[in-house]
Amino acid sequence: MKFRAIMGALCAAGLMCGAASAQAAESLSVLHWWTSGGESKAVGVLKDDMQKQGYVWKDFAVAGGAGAAAMTALKTQVISGNAPSAAQIKGPLIQEWAEQGVLVPIDSVTGDWKANLPPQIDKIIQADGHYVAAPFSVHRVNWVWINKAALDKVGAKPPTTWAEFFTVADKLKAAGIQPVAAGGQPWQDLTLWEDVVLSQGADFYKKAIVDLDQKTLTSQQMVGVFDTVRKIESYMDNGRTGRDWNLATAMVINGKAAMQFMGDWAKGEFANAGKQPGKDYICAPVPATEKAFTFNVDSFVFFQQKDQKAATPGQLALAKTIMTPAFQEQFSLYKGSIPVRLGVPMDRFDDCGKRAYADEQVAIKAGGYVPSLAHGMAQRDATAGAITDVVTKFMNSTQDSKSAVEALARAAKTK
């Protein structure tokens, strides 16, 4: 009893317990869609860091690649007055939530962020001049993941042009190897399509996907994009409908297929399976996109909590932790990404990570650093959704490329 009395007096005097007890009392409800093996290990780093700081982590993981199910769950929570402390959101959707007046600024912990972020990303995580989101890492979307043994079997090298790609695919098919592993989900269809758009050049990509330029969208070059997508599709298996992306990655890992078009979160799956780049698999830029970099940046935004207009201590601590060099490094090592924070040492990263970082720096300087449409970075939901519907319809029907382009031009006008 005397011990309790002494501790109570010290706490009352502010000599002990103040910050610690406040932190221990705060729970952080965190909504995200990181549920695959590599992703779970990555988010576990943040969970452990926050628990060490005395906060209670309440995990709200919603399965489903690209986060469509998670966004539906988030809307339900916010409408019901039970918004999470933080939620995984990216791209223009950050601005949409900010416009609803439900986010809190985190400016007090962002002192060195502007100097340590690519300008294109620094802009995305702000609203009305205030930081409202903390970015985790940068994923490069325009990768092809290749089973090295399959490539060696047919005596081929990673293709750098579409002509080379189709030659390699034909050799694999003749050898009884499934050339392309894919999942038949809309966001995966759009990932492939935007890869092919990027292969036409960064300027073409920006005009088509960022500017939604009607002349570019209806060009003969865009018809060629759909033609190329159709040909790539012919090398996929018939069982792809509804397949999750990580199951397609597993096909490449296990040698059931040779190649997959997917962002570098796929690397986390290879690492989780104990595979090594250069030995077991190869990471190569999508043909004709070597000097470009389609970026996908995951961020946490911070929601107003009940009876709180400003960010809570836990929310600020979470934001600050996310942008520390140590966390940025360890998170990306598990996730397959590279740190969004510039200047983080790359010594511990594998060859794929080092190449991604080197290519990122080249793309930033050369104007080839562009936002991914398929992963919520380039357009708001309504426009992105309409374009996705066009691409998915095309890939799941016998529609011709010319009529697909006409539908694309109409979809781009969706607001």
Side-chain angles (χ1 to χ4, degrees):
M1 292 297 291
K2 286 183 179 180
F3 176 77
R4 290 182 183 177
I6 293 171
M7 289 300 291
L10 289 171
C11 284
L15 298 176
M16 294 181 67
C17 307
S21 61
Q23 290 178 9
E26 185 176 348
S27 294
L28 294 170
S29 173
V30 182
L31 186 148
H32 63 88
W33 60 84
W34 290 318
T35 56
S36 72
E39 292 173 328
S40 295
K41 287 178 70 174
V43 77
V45 175
L46 184 59
K47 177 181 178 180
D48 291 344
D49 280 355
M50 297 312 297
Q51 289 178 335
K52 288 175 183 176
Q53 294 180 52
Y55 295 97
V56 177
W57 180 283
K58 290 189 175 180
D59 200 65
F60 187 3
V62 181
M71 291 303 94
T72 300
L74 176 61
K75 290 175 184 176
T76 301
Q77 281 194 295
V78 175
I79 291 171
S80 66
N82 190 34
S85 306
Q88 182 184 357
I89 295 178
K90 53 192 176 182
L93 194 55
I94 294 173
Q95 315 302 320
E96 291 187 41
W97 278 109
E99 289 167 5
Q100 300 301 314
V102 294
L103 303 184
V104 290
I106 52 171
D107 299 324
S108 62
V109 296
T110 63
D112 68 346
W113 288 19
K114 182 175 285 292
N116 290 287
L117 287 171
Q120 297 91 331
I121 294 171
D122 184 67
K123 180 182 178 181
I124 289 171
I125 60 174
Q126 295 188 54
D128 295 325
H130 296 284
Y131 286 96
V132 293
F136 279 80
S137 59
V138 178
H139 282 291
R140 187 186 198 179
V141 178
N142 56 308
W143 283 117
V144 179
W145 303 91
I146 307 172
N147 182 292
K148 189 174 184 301
L151 203 63
D152 290 345
K153 184 175 180 179
V154 297
K157 295 181 179 179
T160 59
T161 66
W162 288 119
E164 290 178 4
F165 176 85
F166 293 125
T167 297
V168 171
D170 285 336
K171 288 181 178 180
L172 290 164
K173 191 172 182 179
I177 302 171
Q178 183 67 50
V180 179
Q185 295 172 328
W187 71 270
Q188 295 189 62
D189 294 340
L190 195 63
T191 296
L192 172 62
W193 179 80
E194 77 172 20
D195 281 342
V196 181
V197 174
L198 184 64
S199 73
Q200 306 304 301
D203 287 343
F204 181 85
Y205 182 97
K206 283 184 277 191
K207 286 178 182 178
I209 287 180
V210 179
D211 300 336
L212 302 176
D213 176 65
Q214 284 288 310
K215 185 177 180 180
T216 305
L217 292 171
T218 56
S219 65
Q220 190 59 40
Q221 196 169 359
M222 186 61 76
V223 174
V225 166
F226 280 93
D227 287 343
T228 300
V229 169
R230 178 69 81 209
K231 191 169 182 180
I232 295 169
E233 186 182 16
S234 70
Y235 294 98
M236 300 175 184
D237 68 295
N238 294 327
R240 68 187 180 91
T241 303
R243 180 186 292 146
D244 286 333
W245 71 269
N246 55 311
L247 297 181
T249 306
M251 291 172 66
V252 179
I253 292 173
N254 298 328
K256 293 182 179 179
M259 299 180 284
Q260 180 190 22
F261 293 88
M262 189 54 57
D264 53 16
W265 49 91
K267 185 162 69 100
E269 299 303 298
F270 283 94
N272 208 39
K275 304 299 182 180
Q276 297 179 19
K279 178 183 177 182
D280 303 302
Y281 68 96
I282 297 170
C283 53
V286 168
T289 72
E290 183 176 355
K291 294 183 179 180
F293 191 113
T294 326
F295 65 81
N296 173 21
V297 179
D298 286 308
S299 301
F300 271 178
V301 299
F302 302 91
F303 284 87
Q304 286 182 4
Q305 299 299 285
K306 292 179 180 178
D307 304 319
Q308 295 278 352
K309 290 295 183 182
T312 67
Q315 288 175 318
L316 292 174
L318 183 59
K320 185 175 182 179
T321 300
I322 289 169
M323 271 291 284
T324 59
F327 172 78
Q328 288 270 317
E329 177 187 54
Q330 190 57 62
F331 180 86
S332 283
L333 284 169
Y334 282 142
K335 188 72 162 54
S337 52
I338 59 174
V340 69
R341 187 183 179 102
L342 299 173
V344 174
M346 298 298 293
D347 304 19
R348 295 177 60 199
F349 286 79
D350 60 26
D351 291 345
C352 293
K354 290 174 181 174
R355 173 158 191 179
Y357 184 77
D359 287 356
E360 180 194 39
Q361 304 313 301
V362 170
I364 289 173
K365 294 176 182 177
Y369 198 59
V370 294
S372 167
L373 175 67
H375 299 278
M377 303 302 301
Q379 296 292 339
R380 295 201 172 201
D381 276 1
T383 306
I387 294 174
T388 301
D389 289 345
V390 170
V391 174
T392 295
K393 178 183 177 181
F394 175 78
M395 291 188 68
N396 289 277
S397 69
T398 58
Q399 183 182 24
D400 65 277
S401 297
K402 186 176 180 180
S403 62
V405 162
E406 293 169 354
L408 175 67
R410 291 193 297 271
K413 296 179 181 179
T414 304
K415 300 295 182 182

